[in-house]
Amino acid sequence: MKLNLEFEGRKTYSVTAKDARDLGYPEEVIATAVSEVRVSDVKSECRRRIYAAASAETQMNMATAAAVISAKETSARTEDEASILSGLDDAIGWVASMRARVSELAEDAALDIGDDANWPPLPDGARDVVDKF
């Protein structure tokens, strides 16, 4: 893991923790840099997983459909349209759960961010609506 460090006006880029120690950086500065890398890695993994479930284009299509369907009176919506809105609620809840998981995974370096078990599963309703777009 490569770290970027700053301490007492000195900046060092792309060094290992061992090299940072050898350069005289305090442990708390190194720990902060390690934590920042972990947070960045977890956020990237979260983003990757969200876009793997629904591309940017799919998300835009879903948002457009939500706007069109939501503009209708509830009684004028078809069963399919109601299903789409329900699936969108599931998808929005899943994204919120994914984002909440970022801070938990960032804090515990013992957890493997690449392990599916450490992330909320995509709900069936969300998967169904994604498949429509």
Side-chain angles (χ1 to χ4, degrees), residues 2 6 13-14 16 19 33 37-38 53-55 59 65 68 75 89 97 99 103 106-107 109 117-120 126:
K2 296 294 184 167
E6 183 174 352
Y13 298 98
S14 194
T16 65
D19 291 340
V37 170
R38 172 88 178 166
S55 69
Q59 291 180 43
V68 170
S75 60
D89 279 345
S97 296
R99 289 181 176 158
S103 60
E107 289 176 13
N118 289 323
W119 293 97

Side-chain angles (χ1 to χ4, degrees), residues 43-67:
K43 285 181 178 181
S44 292
E45 180 63 12
C46 180
R47 186 177 314 107
R48 184 195 70 75
R49 287 171 177 271
I50 291 169
Y51 283 109
S55 69
E57 293 81 8
T58 297
Q59 291 180 43
M60 286 187 292
N61 290 337
M62 290 165 54
T64 301

Side-chain angles (χ1 to χ4, degrees), residues 61-73 76-77 81 85 88:
N61 290 337
M62 290 165 54
T64 301
V68 170
I69 295 167
S70 294
K72 292 183 175 184
E73 294 290 329
R77 294 177 189 154
E81 289 171 334
L85 289 181
L88 289 169

Side-chain angles (χ1 to χ4, degrees), residues 5 16 32 51 78:
L5 304 153
T16 65
T32 297
Y51 283 109
T78 67

